[in-house]
Amino acid sequence: HSPSTAHQLIATAHALVHPRGRGIYATDETPDGIHARLAASAAPGQLKTFTDEEQTARRKAWRETLYSSLNPQHISGVILYAETLLQFQLAPVLIQRGIIPGVRADTDGYPLPGSPHGSGEVGTQGLDDLYDRCVAWREAGARFTKWRAPFLVNEAGTLPSPAAIEAQAGALARFASISQSAGLVPIVEPDLDFSGDASIQTSVDAHVKVISAIYAKLAIYGVLLEGTLLKPSFPQPGAKFAGPKPTPATIAAATVTVLARTVPPAVGGIVFLSGGLSDSDSTLYLDAVNKIVSAGPAKEPVAATAAEALANSKDVEAAVLRTMASRLPPLTFSFGRGLQGDAMIKWVAGDKEGAQQAFAKRAEECSKAATGTLH
Amino acid sequence: HSPSTAHQLIATAHALVHPRGRGIYATDETPDGIHARLAASAAPGQLKTFTDEEQTARRKAWRETLYSSLNPQHISGVILYAETLLQFQLAPVLIQRGIIPGVRADTDGYPLPGSPHGSGEVGTQGLDDLYDRCVAWREAGARFTKWRAPFLVNEAGTLPSPAAIEAQAGALARFASISQSAGLVPIVEPDLDFSGDASIQTSVDAHVKVISAIYAKLAIYGVLLEGTLLKPSFPQPGAKFAGPKPTPATIAAATVTVLARTVPPAVGGIVFLSGGLSDSDSTLYLDAVNKIVSAGPAKEPVAATAAEALANSKDVEAAVLRTMASRLPPLTFSFGRGLQGDAMIKWVAGDKEGAQQAFAKRAEECSKAATGTLH
Amino acid sequence: HSPSTAHQLIATAHALVHPRGRGIYATDETPDGIHARLAASAAPGQLKTFTDEEQTARRKAWRETLYSSLNPQHISGVILYAETLLQFQLAPVLIQRGIIPGVRADTDGYPLPGSPHGSGEVGTQGLDDLYDRCVAWREAGARFTKWRAPFLVNEAGTLPSPAAIEAQAGALARFASISQSAGLVPIVEPDLDFSGDASIQTSVDAHVKVISAIYAKLAIYGVLLEGTLLKPSFPQPGAKFAGPKPTPATIAAATVTVLARTVPPAVGGIVFLSGGLSDSDSTLYLDAVNKIVSAGPAKEPVAATAAEALANSKDVEAAVLRTMASRLPPLTFSFGRGLQGDAMIKWVAGDKEGAQQAFAKRAEECSKAATGTLH
Amino acid sequence: HSPSTAHQLIATAHALVHPRGRGIYATDETPDGIHARLAASAAPGQLKTFTDEEQTARRKAWRETLYSSLNPQHISGVILYAETLLQFQLAPVLIQRGIIPGVRADTDGYPLPGSPHGSGEVGTQGLDDLYDRCVAWREAGARFTKWRAPFLVNEAGTLPSPAAIEAQAGALARFASISQSAGLVPIVEPDLDFSGDASIQTSVDAHVKVISAIYAKLAIYGVLLEGTLLKPSFPQPGAKFAGPKPTPATIAAATVTVLARTVPPAVGGIVFLSGGLSDSDSTLYLDAVNKIVSAGPAKEPVAATAAEALANSKDVEAAVLRTMASRLPPLTFSFGRGLQGDAMIKWVAGDKEGAQQAFAKRAEECSKAATGTLH
């Protein structure tokens, strides 16, 4: 990178996660995705049919309603779908409010050959001509991009498969390098599924393996880590795992462990995804992680002797967690559904102002979670 | 690792670098190495010859003199040569003072086949039966080990060779896993030579490549990063590089960049080696690195827009350096010659107390450098 | 792969290179590429301008002329451009003659981010939605695909860059796995440039590094090697390398060495590319390689003692070359321009039959080269 | 390597496996190992106790008896234990008969840290000071070395572990490079255990993974493949796998598949180990593999169309197996116990000549198996 490009990338990445408590609003659903959600948010009597033109106008109006009321103290950036950026030209609405527009760069997935037969693993697509698209996005006001790479996990350890790790980590790295060469900060999103039978320990191991592989690939492509963000999932047991649901504190400990073992300190920031989690869980987990950060590092030796370490193993564990957490980049949110659910119900019912207030309330909660001060 | 072993490893690694300002005294020279230094420290008229028995007694006496006066506020641990640990049984002297004894685990190097012909690259040895030796060392009081892996660097980029990186990083990882399985914290020491023609940028690239390779190998062997320390060299231009000597601030910026791109936050601590540097340079570099740490992270966005980032590129650079440095594990010293040079001259002249005072003075300086408060 | 898909892939790959002496005719230039060649083949007075429609008709007619006269004793398969397969529907013309139609799968290159600044390295594109295209191609009669991955080489060893090897080998492997999952045999084409300053030894090293990387990636994706072909370049010095042009025998020895060190015996066959070589050179090199094959392996010990090996080093070298060559898959051609140059001149001049005869003559020469019986 | 060293290495590797039908006699048991076998070979009444001196004399006498009668038409080389080479000085006995002496280079294994807890995986040792030992061995007449790397395999796929593959393949590669630098041909021996519950398919997959990893490591160290041999195990189901024992033909097909997917054609030769197999099985498997080789490659297309390939899938399979097998280096034996069992019983009973005859008979059978002409 030329120094000037590097400085812009670094400054953008930094601004997306500072000061602590600001996060990203993800609005990169496909048009079909939005309409499905809008429909689901309608009260029984309110369901209508719309022409294509009306649908387009609705999508734009929905976005505009929220974009124009976002609070930059809670929201640092917004991920747009390309249409919102290029056709609706809504980036200026955000820029005016001091919020950074970004864009989703991946298109869609395809069944991954090389994956175990019938596994359901997919490969993410969208690399062809990506540089040209990045240039157009930047001209329309975008300053960052995002690429989601989903991974399956199972308890037997055969998923994610070596082919999936190779394909998805490789695609993320090529995406990141192309994005940076066009002056856009890449958000690298490994999304590990938790619908399966994996234990939390297996989930931790899979997260470590996947995130390590990603940073190894980024290094090969010479990606400037300071000008990137990571958008990870929380390690957690799968829905089919038999056993009690872990507490937010347990999830937070697993999350800190994963990140401390894998994320180079140069990375600009960490913005968690909420996919599949309830609004409540995603905020609780984020809050729990940041509570460890806020506790601060252990500055004195945690045990004078080996015997003392043995006797106080819980203290040692807590101390090392706090210490590791204190070294991580800012840990905040990049939520979509979880931020806008209540707002959508009001908007569909015609209550525009109520929608904005509902969003603002939820954004403030997420902001508190991003500083560990929710509860 | 069993949880109890893990807790001990973590607590030991933590105690070796906390609170900030404590560092490690490296006394792992071979007997021949000590005698050469003692001889070189003698005034012209003082040179004597000694019998083997007298030499042995001298080695022990020299060690005892300093060990018995070490200040645990400045010195957290001491690296012993196996003889000092097993034959002289000096670990208790240190333990009594609240200082942790460790031991050098590697034996010696051999010309590395697979390296470019005539390059001079070596492979470090000592893995055979290492576990058994570790067990004996632990019984004698040691709680950590150290393995030095030297690397050559040249401007053409052919050194370090792929064979050297594979061999040395592989050996470090096997050493670390064996050491931890015996309950000893491994200190992983990649020592990149600066006698060649490499520029500081080439040195930075080589450090990034080598340290990344090491952590990739450690992951394969399941090494618990929380229970390890890193002992790196400072990236710097080679002696044969034509150009002005960089300032400590430049060295410090390069050092922070290397470490932030490569060292997982889980690693317990970073203890620099001083090999080949003057006493003054090693302390100045360490101080400069810690001054960046002490400046604290940039908590606000460093630039509101891309244009601002361009206009204030120096501020952006400084801010990202401070931010990255704030995420690193404690950065302290693991010095040998640089700590004991003056003390040795006094001791050889028969001034035992003077030797202890000279050492104490130097240790205090290093401790200040480890908090960035030297100058 | 299901067993039935596997058997089809294996049988197709086998048929493309058996019996020895059959090779592939590459007709996968872009429409613009063809017209440029047709124009260049016209005599000074014959240059005309054509409407778009006429151009399309000309492309089709030119292909039809040659396809309808191909001799299956010399030509086992033809690589089509997608238009020829899907719009012109020319596959049946080939199938009727017992010749296997294939298709070019890559689209075009883009400057590779992560490559050293200004190096000119490119990444090959075309993976998005490739599976769907493969399915359409198969329905139109294609049984194999081809993906070209160009690489730059320089004497300093900085090219091909790690990013280029990662990107291009990775893309080849994904292409190959997708292609096989659609029932098409992938031809993997690493094309190492020789316009630079590299010596033949550097070219050999680069070929070894690139081809090894490709097979390592293919293994990760579970590609069935038995159902693939390799389309390599000949290792050779670059045009800017100062020194005499090597003899075909020297090129052949380098080629056998590269392939014997890198290509797993399971690979179906090796079909050389001729890009950038004169017609004469490409045929001479292929002939020289096959002459080593035809000499047969050394069946007796080549030296009874070390002293004998020293005294007869040339014999040892020759014996090991013959022995390695005898273990390689069939070595034949996948030529384009080199096969059709003379034919094109005749066809442009209106001599359809002459064009067919010119092609047939050249195909016979190539066939002889593929059995080492040209001279 | 200097050209002269390279020529010697190549010539030695070639002589160890040519002409087809010659193989290696492995006599590298430890002294304790020999005595245990000698004791087990004694008839009930013949058991005696011996002084240490008598034991040493016995070991030497036993070796001398067989070495002095070996038939160089069946035996190309013998692997000695270091004592036999250096103390008993028996290499000249072999050299005189035109048989090449070699030596075991590894010492012993240790439990591998980093392996799953309780797995029983070991790491092979012996790299420290190996170069110096190699030089001494060469002076005593040795021309090749051998290093055994055992691997465990289980059906769950957790064994061999990544740590085991990294450690064992890495050690093999360092061994091979050191050995070649001292002028000795390395025999690389990955020995995959079959006492577990793995199916033959899992065994095939594990063999492919391990052998690929080994050649990737050898490439990093610049090992000259032409001057090496591979000593692999036969892929086969574990003793605890429920299911019928596969036929030799099935084992042979699995073996050819593994080797064709992994072994670069440059490798000098393949000498199977027989560890754990009955005399009968090891010879039957070797014979079955060589019967495929002797059938010769399929020189004509195996199916004209995809439909034909489907209809004749068994023919396609047989053809591709024969074709792959024809490209492999010579496939012969490196047996120990299996060659000498009968001879030992006679020798212990005092029948020296009978011992020699029993050995000769068995060596002839193995030689026949190495040409596929046993049955």
Side-chain angles (χ1 to χ4, degrees), chain D residues 268-291:
Chain D
I270 295 170
V271 296
F272 290 96
L273 65 88
S274 63
L277 289 174
S278 71
D279 293 8
S280 159
D281 278 352
S282 57
T283 331
L284 282 171
Y285 295 172
L286 180 63
D287 186 57
V289 166
N290 274 294
K291 280 190 159 50

PDB file of all heavy atoms in Angstrom, chain D residues 268-291:
ATOM      1  N   GLY D 268      13.962 -42.938  -5.529  1.00  0.00           N
ATOM      2  CA  GLY D 268      14.718 -44.049  -6.086  1.00  0.00           C
ATOM      3  C   GLY D 268      14.009 -45.391  -6.059  1.00  0.00           C
ATOM      4  O   GLY D 268      14.076 -46.153  -7.021  1.00  0.00           O
ATOM      5  N   GLY D 269      13.316 -45.681  -4.977  1.00  0.00           N
ATOM      6  CA  GLY D 269      12.691 -46.993  -4.887  1.00  0.00           C
ATOM      7  C   GLY D 269      11.841 -47.101  -3.652  1.00  0.00           C
ATOM      8  O   GLY D 269      11.896 -46.248  -2.755  1.00  0.00           O
ATOM      9  N   ILE D 270      11.045 -48.170  -3.618  1.00  0.00           N
ATOM     10  CA  ILE D 270      10.117 -48.387  -2.509  1.00  0.00           C
ATOM     11  C   ILE D 270      10.372 -49.770  -1.938  1.00  0.00           C
ATOM     12  O   ILE D 270      10.276 -50.770  -2.660  1.00  0.00           O
ATOM     13  CB  ILE D 270       8.661 -48.229  -2.992  1.00  0.00           C
ATOM     14  CG1 ILE D 270       8.427 -46.778  -3.438  1.00  0.00           C
ATOM     15  CG2 ILE D 270       7.683 -48.640  -1.898  1.00  0.00           C
ATOM     16  CD1 ILE D 270       7.115 -46.536  -4.145  1.00  0.00           C
ATOM     17  N   VAL D 271      10.721 -49.809  -0.646  1.00  0.00           N
ATOM     18  CA  VAL D 271      11.059 -51.088  -0.012  1.00  0.00           C
ATOM     19  C   VAL D 271      10.121 -51.271   1.176  1.00  0.00           C
ATOM     20  O   VAL D 271      10.234 -50.624   2.186  1.00  0.00           O
ATOM     21  CB  VAL D 271      12.547 -51.103   0.416  1.00  0.00           C
ATOM     22  CG1 VAL D 271      13.451 -51.013  -0.816  1.00  0.00           C
ATOM     23  CG2 VAL D 271      12.900 -49.991   1.385  1.00  0.00           C
ATOM     24  N   PHE D 272       9.185 -52.198   1.043  1.00  0.00           N
ATOM     25  CA  PHE D 272       8.156 -52.344   2.081  1.00  0.00           C
ATOM     26  C   PHE D 272       8.711 -52.905   3.376  1.00  0.00           C
ATOM     27  O   PHE D 272       9.616 -53.742   3.363  1.00  0.00           O
ATOM     28  CB  PHE D 272       7.029 -53.248   1.584  1.00  0.00           C
ATOM     29  CG  PHE D 272       6.207 -52.626   0.512  1.00  0.00           C
ATOM     30  CD1 PHE D 272       6.477 -52.886  -0.827  1.00  0.00           C
ATOM     31  CD2 PHE D 272       5.174 -51.747   0.821  1.00  0.00           C
ATOM     32  CE1 PHE D 272       5.726 -52.298  -1.835  1.00  0.00           C
ATOM     33  CE2 PHE D 272       4.423 -51.157  -0.184  1.00  0.00           C
ATOM     34  CZ  PHE D 272       4.699 -51.430  -1.519  1.00  0.00           C
ATOM     35  N   LEU D 273       8.113 -52.469   4.465  1.00  0.00           N
ATOM     36  CA  LEU D 273       8.415 -53.058   5.762  1.00  0.00           C
ATOM     37  C   LEU D 273       7.427 -54.200   6.001  1.00  0.00           C
ATOM     38  O   LEU D 273       6.340 -54.241   5.403  1.00  0.00           O
ATOM     39  CB  LEU D 273       8.320 -52.007   6.862  1.00  0.00           C
ATOM     40  CG  LEU D 273       6.974 -51.353   7.175  1.00  0.00           C
ATOM     41  CD1 LEU D 273       6.176 -52.155   8.202  1.00  0.00           C
ATOM     42  CD2 LEU D 273       7.226 -49.962   7.735  1.00  0.00           C
ATOM     43  N   SER D 274       7.791 -55.131   6.887  1.00  0.00           N
ATOM     44  CA  SER D 274       6.893 -56.254   7.141  1.00  0.00           C
ATOM     45  C   SER D 274       6.432 -56.317   8.590  1.00  0.00           C
ATOM     46  O   SER D 274       5.749 -57.251   8.987  1.00  0.00           O
ATOM     47  CB  SER D 274       7.613 -57.566   6.789  1.00  0.00           C
ATOM     48  OG  SER D 274       8.742 -57.728   7.628  1.00  0.00           O
ATOM     49  N   GLY D 275       6.835 -55.307   9.377  1.00  0.00           N
ATOM     50  CA  GLY D 275       6.570 -55.312  10.825  1.00  0.00           C
ATOM     51  C   GLY D 275       5.143 -55.700  11.174  1.00  0.00           C
ATOM     52  O   GLY D 275       4.193 -55.059  10.719  1.00  0.00           O
ATOM     53  N   GLY D 276       4.993 -56.717  11.993  1.00  0.00           N
ATOM     54  CA  GLY D 276       3.678 -57.089  12.459  1.00  0.00           C
ATOM     55  C   GLY D 276       2.953 -58.056  11.545  1.00  0.00           C
ATOM     56  O   GLY D 276       1.959 -58.670  11.946  1.00  0.00           O
ATOM     57  N   LEU D 277       3.402 -58.208  10.311  1.00  0.00           N
ATOM     58  CA  LEU D 277       2.751 -59.161   9.387  1.00  0.00           C
ATOM     59  C   LEU D 277       3.383 -60.536   9.537  1.00  0.00           C
ATOM     60  O   LEU D 277       4.567 -60.667   9.857  1.00  0.00           O
ATOM     61  CB  LEU D 277       2.942 -58.701   7.937  1.00  0.00           C
ATOM     62  CG  LEU D 277       2.156 -57.468   7.496  1.00  0.00           C
ATOM     63  CD1 LEU D 277       2.581 -57.065   6.094  1.00  0.00           C
ATOM     64  CD2 LEU D 277       0.658 -57.763   7.527  1.00  0.00           C
ATOM     65  N   SER D 278       2.613 -61.563   9.250  1.00  0.00           N
ATOM     66  CA  SER D 278       3.191 -62.898   9.186  1.00  0.00           C
ATOM     67  C   SER D 278       4.091 -62.977   7.954  1.00  0.00           C
ATOM     68  O   SER D 278       3.946 -62.196   7.016  1.00  0.00           O
ATOM     69  CB  SER D 278       2.077 -63.938   9.072  1.00  0.00           C
ATOM     70  OG  SER D 278       1.501 -63.860   7.778  1.00  0.00           O
ATOM     71  N   ASP D 279       5.032 -63.921   7.976  1.00  0.00           N
ATOM     72  CA  ASP D 279       5.916 -64.103   6.819  1.00  0.00           C
ATOM     73  C   ASP D 279       5.098 -64.262   5.555  1.00  0.00           C
ATOM     74  O   ASP D 279       5.392 -63.684   4.512  1.00  0.00           O
ATOM     75  CB  ASP D 279       6.764 -65.369   6.990  1.00  0.00           C
ATOM     76  CG  ASP D 279       7.739 -65.229   8.128  1.00  0.00           C
ATOM     77  OD1 ASP D 279       7.655 -64.222   8.866  1.00  0.00           O
ATOM     78  OD2 ASP D 279       8.585 -66.123   8.265  1.00  0.00           O
ATOM     79  N   SER D 280       4.064 -65.032   5.692  1.00  0.00           N
ATOM     80  CA  SER D 280       3.253 -65.347   4.530  1.00  0.00           C
ATOM     81  C   SER D 280       2.554 -64.104   3.985  1.00  0.00           C
ATOM     82  O   SER D 280       2.600 -63.822   2.789  1.00  0.00           O
ATOM     83  CB  SER D 280       2.230 -66.415   4.932  1.00  0.00           C
ATOM     84  OG  SER D 280       1.158 -66.424   4.049  1.00  0.00           O
ATOM     85  N   ASP D 281       1.946 -63.319   4.882  1.00  0.00           N
ATOM     86  CA  ASP D 281       1.218 -62.134   4.417  1.00  0.00           C
ATOM     87  C   ASP D 281       2.138 -61.124   3.743  1.00  0.00           C
ATOM     88  O   ASP D 281       1.819 -60.577   2.686  1.00  0.00           O
ATOM     89  CB  ASP D 281       0.494 -61.461   5.599  1.00  0.00           C
ATOM     90  CG  ASP D 281      -0.831 -62.152   5.903  1.00  0.00           C
ATOM     91  OD1 ASP D 281      -1.230 -63.036   5.115  1.00  0.00           O
ATOM     92  OD2 ASP D 281      -1.463 -61.820   6.926  1.00  0.00           O
ATOM     93  N   SER D 282       3.281 -60.861   4.374  1.00  0.00           N
ATOM     94  CA  SER D 282       4.146 -59.829   3.813  1.00  0.00           C
ATOM     95  C   SER D 282       4.578 -60.214   2.400  1.00  0.00           C
ATOM     96  O   SER D 282       4.631 -59.372   1.505  1.00  0.00           O
ATOM     97  CB  SER D 282       5.360 -59.591   4.718  1.00  0.00           C
ATOM     98  OG  SER D 282       6.073 -60.791   4.911  1.00  0.00           O
ATOM     99  N   THR D 283       4.858 -61.491   2.194  1.00  0.00           N
ATOM    100  CA  THR D 283       5.293 -61.923   0.871  1.00  0.00           C
ATOM    101  C   THR D 283       4.131 -61.923  -0.113  1.00  0.00           C
ATOM    102  O   THR D 283       4.290 -61.530  -1.273  1.00  0.00           O
ATOM    103  CB  THR D 283       5.910 -63.346   0.953  1.00  0.00           C
ATOM    104  OG1 THR D 283       6.479 -63.524   2.229  1.00  0.00           O
ATOM    105  CG2 THR D 283       6.922 -63.539  -0.137  1.00  0.00           C
ATOM    106  N   LEU D 284       2.973 -62.338   0.343  1.00  0.00           N
ATOM    107  CA  LEU D 284       1.798 -62.340  -0.550  1.00  0.00           C
ATOM    108  C   LEU D 284       1.431 -60.932  -0.987  1.00  0.00           C
ATOM    109  O   LEU D 284       1.084 -60.698  -2.146  1.00  0.00           O
ATOM    110  CB  LEU D 284       0.593 -62.975   0.162  1.00  0.00           C
ATOM    111  CG  LEU D 284       0.595 -64.499   0.241  1.00  0.00           C
ATOM    112  CD1 LEU D 284      -0.534 -64.978   1.153  1.00  0.00           C
ATOM    113  CD2 LEU D 284       0.444 -65.098  -1.161  1.00  0.00           C
ATOM    114  N   TYR D 285       1.499 -59.983  -0.056  1.00  0.00           N
ATOM    115  CA  TYR D 285       1.138 -58.602  -0.394  1.00  0.00           C
ATOM    116  C   TYR D 285       2.131 -58.035  -1.414  1.00  0.00           C
ATOM    117  O   TYR D 285       1.745 -57.381  -2.382  1.00  0.00           O
ATOM    118  CB  TYR D 285       1.111 -57.714   0.858  1.00  0.00           C
ATOM    119  CG  TYR D 285       0.043 -58.071   1.866  1.00  0.00           C
ATOM    120  CD1 TYR D 285       0.006 -57.468   3.120  1.00  0.00           C
ATOM    121  CD2 TYR D 285      -0.949 -59.016   1.579  1.00  0.00           C
ATOM    122  CE1 TYR D 285      -0.974 -57.787   4.057  1.00  0.00           C
ATOM    123  CE2 TYR D 285      -1.932 -59.344   2.512  1.00  0.00           C
ATOM    124  CZ  TYR D 285      -1.937 -58.731   3.749  1.00  0.00           C
ATOM    125  OH  TYR D 285      -2.905 -59.053   4.673  1.00  0.00           O
ATOM    126  N   LEU D 286       3.412 -58.297  -1.163  1.00  0.00           N
ATOM    127  CA  LEU D 286       4.432 -57.777  -2.079  1.00  0.00           C
ATOM    128  C   LEU D 286       4.262 -58.387  -3.467  1.00  0.00           C
ATOM    129  O   LEU D 286       4.381 -57.708  -4.488  1.00  0.00           O
ATOM    130  CB  LEU D 286       5.832 -58.101  -1.520  1.00  0.00           C
ATOM    131  CG  LEU D 286       6.997 -57.622  -2.375  1.00  0.00           C
ATOM    132  CD1 LEU D 286       7.003 -56.099  -2.498  1.00  0.00           C
ATOM    133  CD2 LEU D 286       8.331 -58.092  -1.780  1.00  0.00           C
ATOM    134  N   ASP D 287       3.960 -59.682  -3.480  1.00  0.00           N
ATOM    135  CA  ASP D 287       3.741 -60.374  -4.756  1.00  0.00           C
ATOM    136  C   ASP D 287       2.534 -59.790  -5.490  1.00  0.00           C
ATOM    137  O   ASP D 287       2.591 -59.540  -6.698  1.00  0.00           O
ATOM    138  CB  ASP D 287       3.529 -61.864  -4.481  1.00  0.00           C
ATOM    139  CG  ASP D 287       3.452 -62.674  -5.768  1.00  0.00           C
ATOM    140  OD1 ASP D 287       4.427 -62.611  -6.554  1.00  0.00           O
ATOM    141  OD2 ASP D 287       2.416 -63.338  -5.986  1.00  0.00           O
ATOM    142  N   ALA D 288       1.478 -59.526  -4.741  1.00  0.00           N
ATOM    143  CA  ALA D 288       0.253 -59.008  -5.371  1.00  0.00           C
ATOM    144  C   ALA D 288       0.487 -57.620  -5.962  1.00  0.00           C
ATOM    145  O   ALA D 288      -0.001 -57.295  -7.052  1.00  0.00           O
ATOM    146  CB  ALA D 288      -0.885 -58.968  -4.348  1.00  0.00           C
ATOM    147  N   VAL D 289       1.229 -56.798  -5.245  1.00  0.00           N
ATOM    148  CA  VAL D 289       1.547 -55.459  -5.764  1.00  0.00           C
ATOM    149  C   VAL D 289       2.343 -55.586  -7.068  1.00  0.00           C
ATOM    150  O   VAL D 289       2.062 -54.912  -8.063  1.00  0.00           O
ATOM    151  CB  VAL D 289       2.344 -54.645  -4.715  1.00  0.00           C
ATOM    152  CG1 VAL D 289       2.955 -53.413  -5.347  1.00  0.00           C
ATOM    153  CG2 VAL D 289       1.461 -54.260  -3.547  1.00  0.00           C
ATOM    154  N   ASN D 290       3.325 -56.453  -7.064  1.00  0.00           N
ATOM    155  CA  ASN D 290       4.177 -56.574  -8.248  1.00  0.00           C
ATOM    156  C   ASN D 290       3.472 -57.265  -9.418  1.00  0.00           C
ATOM    157  O   ASN D 290       3.862 -57.081 -10.568  1.00  0.00           O
ATOM    158  CB  ASN D 290       5.492 -57.276  -7.895  1.00  0.00           C
ATOM    159  CG  ASN D 290       6.510 -56.267  -7.378  1.00  0.00           C
ATOM    160  OD1 ASN D 290       6.956 -55.390  -8.120  1.00  0.00           O
ATOM    161  ND2 ASN D 290       6.841 -56.363  -6.094  1.00  0.00           N
ATOM    162  N   LYS D 291       2.459 -58.055  -9.105  1.00  0.00           N
ATOM    163  CA  LYS D 291       1.669 -58.639 -10.203  1.00  0.00           C
ATOM    164  C   LYS D 291       0.944 -57.530 -10.963  1.00  0.00           C
ATOM    165  O   LYS D 291       0.778 -57.612 -12.183  1.00  0.00           O
ATOM    166  CB  LYS D 291       0.677 -59.661  -9.650  1.00  0.00           C
ATOM    167  CG  LYS D 291       1.308 -61.017  -9.355  1.00  0.00           C
ATOM    168  CD  LYS D 291       0.255 -62.076  -9.041  1.00  0.00           C
ATOM    169  CE  LYS D 291       0.755 -63.500  -9.228  1.00  0.00           C
ATOM    170  NZ  LYS D 291       2.031 -63.838  -8.589  1.00  0.00           N
TER     171      LYS D 291
END
